[in-house]
Amino acid sequence: SQTIHQWPATLVQPVGSPLSLECTVEGTSNPNLYWYRQAAGRGLQLLFYSVGIGQISSEVPQNLSASRPQDRQFILSSKKLLLSDSGFYLCAWSVHPLEDSYEQYFGPGTRLTVT
Amino acid sequence: AQTVTQSQPEMSVQEAETVTLSCTYDTSESDYYLFWYKQPPSRQMILVIRQEAYKQQNATENRFSVNFQKAAKSFSLKISDSQLGDAAMYFCAFGEGNFNKFYFGSGTKLNVKP
């Protein structure tokens, strides 16, 4: 069966420090991968998505970047964190759109607090 | 761009009763998917139900069913026989035609009263 991992689960970082959040998927190949941010009590904002290794699409101009160095690895990064980067970050994957089980599967999330 | 609107920030229902959560969306595409996700206090996103736009029949999953009105671009979720464990944030989501992107509504917080 497929599983998705995110780490760390929680993170407290000072303003101006770098960030690296990692997401890995097991049990599937060539998934679509996604990073979302969820502010407190709000919906999900799509930040980046990737349809293959090295292929990253950005949805919102921001202080963050994403990379996909391996088929099932998706990394969210920042060189210098801002207070506004605080939030709950969710990684998700989906199968190829023509498969019947098309949906998004979410990881457990990372709670980031920038102080 | 696609938009998904959930006009009810918060709703309450008595245990064992029925509640309907509303969702509307805006798209120019004819082929897409719609979803309802549940996010309990653990914040783990859980798929509740899925509807393919090309199917006219409304999807059902046990106590959960949808009312899909394609022309009106409406996709409501009905929860029957509400249980305490149904208390959560519910998000409506749209999967676009090339199926690479999903768009989420702002969510409805459902409270279930014993």
Side-chain angles (χ1 to χ4, degrees):
Chain A
S1 64
Q2 301 91 353
T3 55
I4 178 170
H5 304 280
Q6 278 186 252
W7 65 89
T10 60
L11 190 60
V12 180
Q13 291 283 95
V15 168
S17 63
L19 172 73
S20 181
L21 303 182
E22 189 163 344
C23 170
T24 59
V25 181
E26 296 177 357
T28 187
S29 58
N30 195 31
N32 286 354
L33 295 172
Y34 307 82
W35 278 112
Y36 292 90
R37 177 168 58 202
Q38 185 179 25
R42 304 288 293 276
L44 277 67
Q45 179 187 34
L46 178 62
L47 301 176
F48 301 95
Y49 71 95
S50 172
V51 300
I53 296 174
Q55 300 178 63
I56 309 295
S57 296
S58 174
E59 286 296 291
V60 181
Q62 57 207 319
N63 185 43
L64 303 169
S65 62
S67 61
R68 184 171 178 174
Q70 301 180 42
D71 181 46
R72 290 169 289 177
Q73 184 184 30
F74 205 24
I75 298 172
L76 183 68
S77 303
S78 174
K79 292 182 179 178
K80 291 184 178 182
L81 283 168
L82 306 173
L83 286 174
S84 58
D85 291 325
S86 293
F88 189 65
Y89 289 82
L90 284 161
C91 180
W93 71 275
S94 69
V95 299
H96 190 278
L98 295 181
E99 295 187 27
D100 290 341
S101 59
Y102 179 64
E103 65 180 86
Q104 284 205 325
Y105 302 87
F106 287 83
T110 295
R111 182 181 300 278
L112 172 66
T113 303
V114 182
T115 60
Chain B
Q2 334 298 347
T3 59
V4 180
T5 302
Q6 293 179 250
S7 58
Q8 306 152 315
E10 188 167 356
M11 295 190 70
S12 295
V13 63
Q14 205 70 33
E15 193 176 7
E17 294 189 345
T18 296
V19 64
T20 299
L21 309 183
S22 301
C23 173
T24 59
Y25 58 94
D26 187 22
T27 183
S28 58
E29 300 188 19
S30 59
D31 191 16
Y32 51 86
Y33 281 66
L34 294 164
F35 309 85
W36 279 99
Y37 280 87
K38 169 185 177 181
Q39 188 181 42
S42 68
R43 305 199 78 169
Q44 176 68 54
M45 294 286 283
I46 303 165
L47 179 69
V48 174
I49 200 164
R50 174 181 57 231
Q51 174 79 43
E52 295 88 337
Y54 64 86
K55 291 186 178 179
Q56 293 188 349
Q57 185 174 7
N58 289 324
T60 61
E61 287 288 342
N62 300 315
R63 298 182 295 107
F64 300 88
S65 61
V66 300
N67 183 5
F68 174 47
Q69 302 290 328
K70 191 172 184 179
K73 298 179 182 176
S74 171
F75 182 61
S76 60
L77 174 69
K78 185 171 81 172
I79 305 174
S80 304
D81 185 25
S82 296
Q83 301 176 359
L84 295 178
D86 295 333
M89 283 289 288
Y90 286 82
F91 292 98
C92 178
F94 172 98
E96 67 173 11
N98 67 6
F99 304 138
N100 284 333
K101 292 193 289 188
F102 289 71
Y103 299 89
F104 284 79
S106 56
T108 296
K109 182 179 180 182
L110 179 65
N111 304 304
V112 181
K113 300 177 181 179

